[in-house]
């Protein structure tokens, strides 16, 4: 579904992403792991078009998306959860989801009061709210949610956006162990429904438990890739995580 070929992006002397290549298979959960600053978020930003690569290629469903803008990759069906929270605090959770599902946002802003959403989209929002366990606080202002509730609402937002491919940047960073478990179950459920997911995560247990394939970055380079089982015992990975 997605193929990254020799992707490179430097920031001055920092080799954030350095000749990085890997593939993502449809219907699977692929995890991108690596120490702090190893280039994970930069890879996401290159795929989605937030950043431009110095060189290399990205193919999505066989289409070259290397030089596309965020809007173009989004229209092709790439949806993402950001590492930093991005909900509109003064809007309710439901309104945040409406903003994501309705491509024509201007229509929403102009008619905030009395805004009518298509029945089909309303049903989709309710279905995803249920799936992500946020039904109880759909009408709360986003700024009044707990950290964990915000994270769930943001996952829901990434899901309601029409998409073929989902990128999640640290969905469980800072969340409590019970919610961590709930989100891991959610990811497995999503996979069963046919979602293709690229996941960035620091929590090794979480990652190895949910993913089909793991790609390990260190200083912008892919130092290993394989099944969770292969990664767990790979000496290069152990050194990157535990070394010096
Ligand atoms: N916009 C930028 N300008 C300058 N340097 C940047 C920029 N974005 C990232 N970097 C640098 O590139 C390197 C990779 O950063 P990146 O955010 O991709 O790492 P990461 O693997 O996501 O880290 P973390 O696990 O902490 O989220 C780091 O050294 C970072 O400081
Ligand atoms: Mg990051």
């Amino acid at each position: 579904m997605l193929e990254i070929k020799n992707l490179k992006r430097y920031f001055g002397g920092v080799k954030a992403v350095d000749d990085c290549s890997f593939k993502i298979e449809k219907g699977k959960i692929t995890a991108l792991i690596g120490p702090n600053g190893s280039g994970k978020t930069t890879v996401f930003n290159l795929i989605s078009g937030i950043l431009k690569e110095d060189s290399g290629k990205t193919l999505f469903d066989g289409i070259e998306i290397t030089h596309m803008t965020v809007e173009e990759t989004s229209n092709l069906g790439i949806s993402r959860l950001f590492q930093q929270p991005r909900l509109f605090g003064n809007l309710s959770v439901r309104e945040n989801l409406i903003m994501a599902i309705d491509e024509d946002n201007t229509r929403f802003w102009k008619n905030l009061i009395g805004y009518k959403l298509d029945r089909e989209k309303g049903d989709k929002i309710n279905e995803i709210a249920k799936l992500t366990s946020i039904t109880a606080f759909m009408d709360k202002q986003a700024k009044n949610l707990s950290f964990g509730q915000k994270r769930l609402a943001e996952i829901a937002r990434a899901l309601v956006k029409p998409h073929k491919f989902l990128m999640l940047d640290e969905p469980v960073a800072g969340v409590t162990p019970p919610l961590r478990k709930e989100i891991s179950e959610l990811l497995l459920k999503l996979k069963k429904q046919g979602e293709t997911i690229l996941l960035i995560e620091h929590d090794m247990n979480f990652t190895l438990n949910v993913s089909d394939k793991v790609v390990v970055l260190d200083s912008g380079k892919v130092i290993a890739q394989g099944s969770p089982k292969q990664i767990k015992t790979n000496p290069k990975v152990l050194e990157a995580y535990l070394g010096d």
Side-chain angles (χ1 to χ4, degrees), residues 55-95:
S55 59
K57 243 187 193 181
T58 310
L59 300 174
F60 179 64
D61 267 350
I63 300 169
E64 182 164 359
I65 60 164
T66 317
H67 301 296
M68 286 191 181
T69 60
V70 177
E71 200 181 2
E72 287 167 333
T73 60
S74 163
N75 289 341
L76 271 183
I78 298 182
S79 182
R80 75 180 279 190
L81 169 79
F82 290 89
Q83 190 168 1
Q84 305 302 332
R86 297 216 171 178
L87 292 170
F88 293 98
N90 288 323
L91 296 184
S92 70
V93 174
R94 186 182 303 280
E95 286 165 338

Side-chain angles (χ1 to χ4, degrees), residues 88 98-111 115:
F88 293 98
I98 291 172
M99 291 273 297
I101 204 169
D102 225 348
E103 313 77 56
D104 186 5
N105 285 340
T106 49
R107 198 160 70 92
F108 174 76
W109 287 114
K110 278 188 200 145
N111 305 287
Y115 178 83

Side-chain angles (χ1 to χ4, degrees), residues 211-241:
S211 50
D212 300 292
K213 175 181 171 178
V214 182
V215 177
V216 188
L217 283 186
D218 190 24
S219 306
K221 284 193 188 297
V222 176
I223 58 163
Q225 49 181 312
S227 68
K229 216 172 165 184
Q230 290 166 331
I231 292 302
K232 224 190 280 192
T233 53
N234 185 308
K236 276 192 197 165
V237 178
L238 296 174
E239 197 192 315
Y241 271 89

Side-chain angles (χ1 to χ4, degrees), residues 105-142:
N105 285 340
T106 49
R107 198 160 70 92
F108 174 76
W109 287 114
K110 278 188 200 145
N111 305 287
L112 204 48
I113 297 164
Y115 178 83
K116 275 267 174 289
L117 189 68
D118 305 344
R119 156 79 70 81
E120 205 182 294
K121 288 179 180 170
D123 288 349
K124 178 86 187 162
I125 285 178
N126 289 335
E127 177 199 316
I128 287 175
K130 206 166 147 198
L131 183 70
T132 51
S133 318
I134 61 170
T135 308
F137 46 89
M138 284 291 273
D139 295 311
K140 256 192 169 180
Q141 274 187 309

Side-chain angles (χ1 to χ4, degrees), residues 11 14 16 35-42 83 170 202:
F11 295 105
V14 177
N36 284 113
S38 55
K40 304 180 297 295
T41 299
T42 305
Q83 190 168 1
E170 303 200 14
H202 275 289

Side-chain angles (χ1 to χ4, degrees), residues 11 26 51 68 72 131 143 146 148 159 170 172 195:
F11 295 105
K26 197 169 157 57
L51 286 172
M68 286 191 181
E72 287 167 333
L131 183 70
K143 65 179 177 195
S146 72
L159 283 171
E170 303 200 14
V172 298
E195 290 273 0

